[in-house]
Amino acid sequence: GQQLNQSPQSMFIQEGEDVSMNCTSSSIFNTWLWYKQDPGEGPVLLIALYKAGELTSNGRLTAQFGITRKDSFLNISASIPSDVGIYFCAGRSNYKLTFGKGTLLTVNP
Amino acid sequence: DAMVIQNPRYQVTQFGKPVTLSCSQTLNHNVMYWYQQKSSQAPKLLFHYYDKDFNNEADTPDNFQSRRPNTSFCFLDIRSPGLGDAAMYLCATSRDTVTSGGAENEQFFGPGTRLTVL
């Protein structure tokens, strides 16, 4: 089946730093999504991308849908302690989401 | 606020004892999904309903069943829980599943139910 490679697996950064994470796929997706999951909670949708090359921002978050439709990245600028959590990328084909394995982000105040 | 609600948030059951998890939504979405998420892993889709039409994933064990009595509610039944079924169970909804669709296809997750099997 389809697989997404998400990296890095984990990141430890200082408050105020920028962070970047990315996902690559062997398959093409029509939609790329980025979710954040806090411990003991469900994933929350951060950004949805629908067109190849699309660059979308949501506050301090910026994500891009790769031109090849096989990759996406998420940038977080000026990180704050509440940014901690697990970030999942997901590619969507029809109804089905294929998730990356997640990036665990720790922000040291 | 429109939302996806899961009850209970924590459920403890015994090995082999049937258990039902509940999900409700106030979004009036057509589609409801159930995912299993084990520790340090990504969510794994078990099945989904488009309105009353049930769609099972090929690798979902028979031990897992679902019911959707109306638009708002969907239940996950685990007939004989094993130790390997301990996980977080996530419900999600979307308005549609159109192939070329955009925002109407996006899935919104509930807070999850953490299942412990003793």
Side-chain angles (χ1 to χ4, degrees), chain A residues 44-90:
Chain A
V44 174
L45 182 62
L46 299 174
I47 292 182
L49 302 155
Y50 301 110
K51 291 170 59 175
E54 180 180 356
L55 183 73
T56 297
S57 292
N58 177 8
R60 293 179 295 106
L61 279 58
T62 301
Q64 184 157 32
F65 190 146
I67 290 290
T68 65
R69 296 166 66 192
K70 292 184 178 181
D71 64 298
S72 177
F73 71 75
L74 174 71
N75 288 340
I76 305 173
S77 63
S79 59
I80 59 178
S82 61
D83 289 335
V84 300
I86 301 177
Y87 292 80
F88 287 101
C89 64

Side-chain angles (χ1 to χ4, degrees), chain A residues 30-31 33 35 37 39-45 48-50 86 88 92-97 99-102, chain B residues 9 33 35 37 40-43 45 48 57 88 90 97-99 101-103 105-112:
Chain A
N30 293 324
T31 301
L33 306 159
Y35 286 88
Q37 187 172 25
E41 298 293 331
V44 174
L45 182 62
L49 302 155
Y50 301 110
I86 301 177
F88 287 101
R92 183 165 53 75
S93 298
N94 299 331
Y95 67 90
K96 190 152 188 177
L97 296 181
F99 284 91
K101 293 188 175 181
Chain B
R9 294 294 312 276
Y33 309 78
Y35 288 83
Q37 186 179 26
S40 302
Q41 295 184 21
L45 182 64
H48 77 279
E57 293 301 302
M88 173 78 94
L90 296 163
T97 60
V98 178
T99 300
N105 287 9
E106 293 337 321
Q107 295 184 25
F108 296 91
F109 286 81

